[in-house]
Amino acid sequence: MFKRDVHNVKDLILKNLRAQGLETPLLQKRLMDSWAEVVGEFVANYTESMYIRNQTLYVHLTNPAMRADLSMMRKEIVNKLNAHVGTQVIADVRFN
């Protein structure tokens, strides 16, 4: 009998994405897409733009009072976003 080398499809896809250097951008996109779900629609309505650079999520908010409130909750927001994605994608969040 032959012993077959059986792999899970998920593992094969992740291995291929990792080899092509696409795993991190995919996780970053998934994290930014989950912003409204994690912080809520009210905060998401005041969010103008977001981008990730050097494991820091930069969020531009149009409301200064909300910016100050969310700055005090930075660590909690980082933990919730990373938990939603399932891995550590960002280490900090900054509000502009």
Side-chain angles (χ1 to χ4, degrees):
M1 279 187 91
F2 295 103
K3 185 175 182 180
R4 295 183 180 169
D5 191 18
V6 179
H7 296 283
N8 188 353
V9 174
K10 178 183 174 185
D11 294 336
L12 292 174
I13 291 173
L14 287 175
K15 182 179 178 183
N16 190 20
L17 286 172
R18 197 172 292 127
Q20 294 180 11
L22 298 174
E23 182 183 27
T24 301
L26 178 67
L27 291 172
Q28 290 175 347
K29 172 76 169 113
R30 193 178 298 162
L31 183 129
M32 289 193 302
D33 288 345
S34 69
W35 174 255
E37 187 177 335
V38 171
V39 297
E41 285 297 321
F42 183 76
V43 175
N45 289 336
Y46 289 100
T47 302
E48 194 168 87
S49 63
M50 293 185 294
Y51 64 93
I52 297 175
R53 182 175 295 145
N54 296 332
Q55 289 190 330
T56 301
L57 175 65
Y58 293 91
V59 181
H60 180 72
L61 297 171
T62 57
N63 187 333
M66 187 174 297
R67 192 176 319 142
D69 289 343
L70 291 177
S71 292
M72 291 185 279
M73 301 171 48
R74 283 182 14 206
K75 204 62 169 167
E76 182 181 339
I77 293 170
V78 168
N79 291 338
K80 285 183 178 181
L81 286 168
N82 284 331
H84 194 271
V85 175
T87 186
Q88 182 174 352
V89 178
I90 60 171
D92 195 13
V93 62
R94 301 286 170 116
F95 299 101
N96 301 344

